[in-house]
Amino acid sequence: MNILIAGGTGYIGSHICVELLESGHDVVVIDDFSNSKPDVLESIYKITGKHVKFYEFNVLDEEKTESVFKENKLDAVIHCCAFKAVGESVQKPIEYYTNNLMTTLVVAKMMKKYHVPSIVFSSSATVYGDPEVVPLTEDCKLGVTTNPYGATKAMMERILTDVQFANPEMSVTLLRYFNPIGAHESGLIGENPKGIPNNLMPYIMKVATGELPELGVFGDDYDTPDGTGVRDYIHVVDLAKGHVLAIEKYNTPGVHICNLGTGKGYSVLDIVHAFERVNGIKIPYVIKPRRPGDIATCYADPTRAKEQLGWVAEKNLDDMCRDTWNFAKKQLL
Ligand code: WQD
């Protein structure tokens, strides 16, 4: 198939490019490098021996986006271009709502105009809010999102669901990611946020490289086994493989919703200790107050992904820690 990845040079998009190319698909990418670098394209080529067809601009530019739909006979779109920093979204709500919602509308409009039948959307477990029960199945109630970033993900889901209702021939897939971490085993692509990271694993990585002195652990008084927050960490390569299967299997009309998580919850300290053990590096940390908006525990019930896509996460926490450090050593030291 010929697949457009909007946001294809970002952390998740770049891993999806690799898995699609290695599965024999053709890939078209639009990205404006707002949260990535041009070298990623070279890295994708080094890993796969194949090129993506690349366009540099923001999908908000409707005219340019239309020219991509005109020039390429697309079979499907993977929509993963979005601003994604929770804290920043509180400071810049207008930018977040504009970028995340408008890009979704432009993509949907062009799919309708050029009869592209299928879209896979990068959603997030954040749409469940503070879970009433864990593990989370796709039938769990959607929760109240506590920040503009989360609100945009819930709204993007809603937009695409409404578009599918009005265009019943379309296939809309909402993939709800849990906590993607790790990097490609080549160490050529991975996550390297600019400045001080918001997310746990990039922060640990920067403590390991010496760029930051110590990790702040946000709260040790949650109702969890060791008091620190519990999440479902998923290797980004497993996540990317889930997209290949979703593109290939969710090709029937309708709205398909699927969690991508491992079903296992690990605490902040589990992650710290696993990283230390696997990589032989000490990660100094201090306990800090809880981070506003954080929840105690969140992990997936991944049964649907197994039943409907034949997908199960193959990589474990040790792989995630090893691959993160391998990427950091190759790219940052
Ligand atoms: C994980 C755990 C923190 C940093 C958020 C978004 C979600 C998604 C991923 C983005 C929590 C603790 C973290 C630190 C810490 N989307 N922590 N010290 O909060 O589960 O999810 O990011 O693209 O939508 O909500 O992930 O990695 O920030 O935090 O103690 O410096 O680590 O409190 O328990 P989170 P995270």
Side-chain angles (χ1 to χ4, degrees):
M1 288 203 269
N2 195 23
I3 299 157
L4 169 65
I5 311 185
T9 63
Y11 172 47
I12 289 167
S14 58
H15 288 85
I16 299 173
C17 285
V18 166
E19 296 306 319
L20 284 173
L21 290 168
E22 289 190 335
S23 304
H25 296 289
D26 293 319
V27 177
V28 177
V29 168
I30 306 175
D31 206 303
D32 63 354
F33 297 126
S34 60
N35 198 19
S36 59
K37 293 200 183 119
D39 317 351
V40 168
L41 293 168
E42 186 54 30
S43 299
I44 292 170
Y45 176 70
K46 274 192 197 149
I47 295 168
T48 62
K50 294 177 186 169
H51 287 291
V52 301
K53 189 168 177 188
F54 180 71
Y55 297 86
E56 183 181 348
F57 61 86
N58 189 316
V59 173
L60 283 179
D61 188 328
E62 191 172 323
E63 229 172 88
K64 287 188 181 159
T65 301
E66 175 151 16
S67 68
V68 174
F69 277 76
K70 242 188 229 161
E71 276 171 41
N72 298 279
K73 172 85 196 78
L74 299 169
D75 299 301
V77 176
I78 297 178
H79 177 20
C80 51
C81 61
F83 291 161
K84 62 163 191 172
V86 172
E88 184 185 62
S89 77
V90 178
Q91 303 306 320
K92 297 182 173 175
I94 298 171
E95 288 85 343
Y96 269 69
Y97 285 110
T98 304
N99 190 67
N100 293 3
L101 302 187
M102 293 302 290
T103 51
T104 306
L105 290 167
V106 169
V107 166
K109 189 170 167 185
M110 292 308 145
M111 288 179 67
K112 186 168 149 67
K113 188 161 177 187
Y114 291 90
H115 308 288
V116 180
S118 175
I119 180 166
V120 171
F121 170 60
S122 294
S123 190
S124 166
T126 195
V127 299
Y128 294 116
D130 192 352
E132 280 170 13
V133 284
V134 281
L136 283 152
T137 68
E138 292 80 356
D139 298 324
C140 285
K141 266 203 322 239
L142 297 191
V144 179
T145 49
T146 53
N147 56 75
Y149 159 76
T152 65
K153 286 283 161 180
M155 289 179 193
M156 290 152 97
E157 282 203 355
R158 178 63 198 264
I159 290 169
L160 292 172
T161 303
D162 290 345
V163 168
Q164 196 286 327
F165 185 79
N167 300 276
E169 71 289 354
M170 271 182 82
S171 164
V172 165
T173 298
L174 311 175
L175 294 181
R176 294 183 178 150
Y177 307 165
F178 281 68
N179 288 56
I181 60 171
H184 193 266
E185 64 180 9
S186 64
L188 290 169
I189 52 173
E191 186 174 29
N192 180 22
K194 290 171 193 154
I196 297 184
N198 301 294
N199 297 117
L200 179 63
M201 189 53 108
Y203 206 109
I204 290 176
M205 184 180 87
K206 291 201 176 192
V207 172
T209 60
E211 192 179 326
L212 294 169
E214 64 191 7
L215 171 73
V217 174
F218 298 143
D220 67 350
D221 56 353
Y222 285 105
D223 184 15
T224 60
D226 66 15
T228 65
V230 168
R231 297 290 182 275
D232 186 336
Y233 296 92
I234 170 176
H235 197 294
V236 66
V237 170
D238 279 331
L239 187 87
K241 288 183 174 161
H243 290 69
V244 179
L245 290 165
I247 282 281
E248 292 171 352
K249 301 210 170 166
Y250 282 147
N251 52 11
T252 49
V255 176
H256 312 280
I257 303 178
C258 192
N259 288 337
L260 289 180
T262 66
K264 289 191 201 72
Y266 289 107
S267 74
V268 177
L269 294 180
D270 288 337
I271 303 295
V272 170
H273 294 139
F275 191 96
E276 291 183 327
R277 175 176 48 75
V278 170
N279 298 316
I281 299 171
K282 193 95 197 105
I283 303 295
Y285 67 85
V286 285
I287 306 295
K288 293 215 170 136
R290 291 181 180 195
R291 182 171 66 177
D294 266 358
I295 54 179
T297 302
C298 176
Y299 56 93
D301 179 338
T303 307
R304 185 180 287 180
K306 186 173 182 190
E307 286 177 359
Q308 296 188 350
L309 298 176
W311 177 91
V312 279
E314 287 164 0
K315 292 177 185 282
N316 60 28
L317 184 56
D318 286 12
D319 299 323
M320 302 182 214
C321 292
R322 189 199 55 234
D323 292 341
T324 300
W325 184 232
N326 180 44
F327 167 75
K329 275 188 301 193
K330 291 209 165 129
Q331 305 302 324
L332 311 180
L333 291 183

